[in-house]
Amino acid sequence: MRKLINNEKWSLDAIDSKLIKLLENNSRVSVAEMARAVNMSSPSVNERMKRMEEYGVISKYSIELNPESFDYPLTAIVRIRQHPGKLKQLEAMIQNIPEVIECDKVTGEDCFYVRLCFESMPKLDEILDKVSTLGDTHTSVVKSTIVKRRNVPYQIRKR
């Protein structure tokens, strides 16, 4: 009997888990390489991959760029609380700032948590001056990243 994580449409077994791990380490890994790693045929692995894509388990294959390679050595987290009646305008502005690499709309005192990369403190000031026309900001410059963005835990749970 297979050990599964159940979803109404899809279930994770040990082979799927291993395939996901292989892709996490290298999203360009070939189907043939994955097949060898899990002791299956390439068509069988390909079918599993298609199934995970169809059910939305795998939503995209991606690369991770090094911001410093593009002259963005600095990162900041900016908490933003919009001015009254300015929520939609602020949302649109944030979406159009190229240095914003991630933004979450949150509950609590603030409305948005924004992560952005920038090349210098004057550039950060320029961005914050623009945003402050629509909201109050609280900014922290990142010294180091302890945990990089990662996928949700997906390992098979013991029953």
Side-chain angles (χ1 to χ4, degrees):
M1 185 171 167
R2 292 170 34 165
K3 294 180 182 175
L4 305 172
I5 289 179
N6 289 316
N7 170 326
E8 301 246 336
K9 307 174 204 169
W10 179 81
S11 298
L12 177 79
D13 65 13
I15 293 170
D16 291 333
S17 182
K18 189 163 185 176
L19 293 172
I20 291 169
K21 188 70 175 167
L22 290 166
L23 286 167
E24 272 188 322
N25 292 331
N26 176 8
S27 64
R28 293 184 59 176
V29 65
S30 71
V31 171
E33 245 180 285
M34 289 190 292
R36 280 191 295 278
V38 296
N39 251 354
M40 292 180 73
S41 69
S42 291
S44 295
V45 167
N46 202 37
E47 187 58 39
R48 282 176 176 265
M49 298 304 298
K50 282 182 189 174
R51 189 182 75 229
M52 287 191 279
E53 290 168 7
E54 287 169 4
Y55 290 128
V57 174
I58 295 175
S59 60
K60 70 177 182 176
Y61 298 87
S62 181
I63 61 170
E64 183 178 323
L65 298 175
N66 178 353
E68 291 183 25
S69 297
F70 297 92
D71 295 326
Y72 294 107
L74 302 167
T75 301
I77 309 286
V78 183
R79 296 180 302 132
I80 307 171
R81 181 189 311 176
Q82 97 280 353
H83 293 153
K86 301 293 183 183
L87 183 66
K88 292 297 179 195
Q89 283 178 276
L90 180 57
E91 233 175 86
M93 178 186 285
I94 292 168
Q95 290 171 345
N96 288 308
I97 297 171
E99 292 82 1
V100 171
I101 58 172
E102 188 172 22
C103 178
D104 292 312
K105 194 173 191 178
V106 298
T107 61
E109 289 186 31
D110 300 310
C111 297
F112 301 102
Y113 279 15
V114 175
R115 179 178 284 268
L116 56 95
C117 292
F118 55 101
E119 65 265 8
S120 65
M121 294 309 280
K123 182 61 178 181
L124 176 61
D125 285 339
E126 179 187 318
I127 294 167
L128 294 176
D129 287 347
K130 187 175 175 183
V131 170
S132 68
T133 62
L134 299 175
D136 298 323
T137 64
H138 296 88
T139 305
S140 299
V141 174
V142 175
K143 291 177 16 179
S144 66
T145 301
I146 306 304
V147 177
K148 287 193 173 222
R149 185 171 187 88
R150 57 186 173 198
N151 286 316
V152 298
Y154 57 83
Q155 285 72 22
I156 300 167
R157 297 180 190 121
K158 304 273 188 215
R159 292 183 187 210

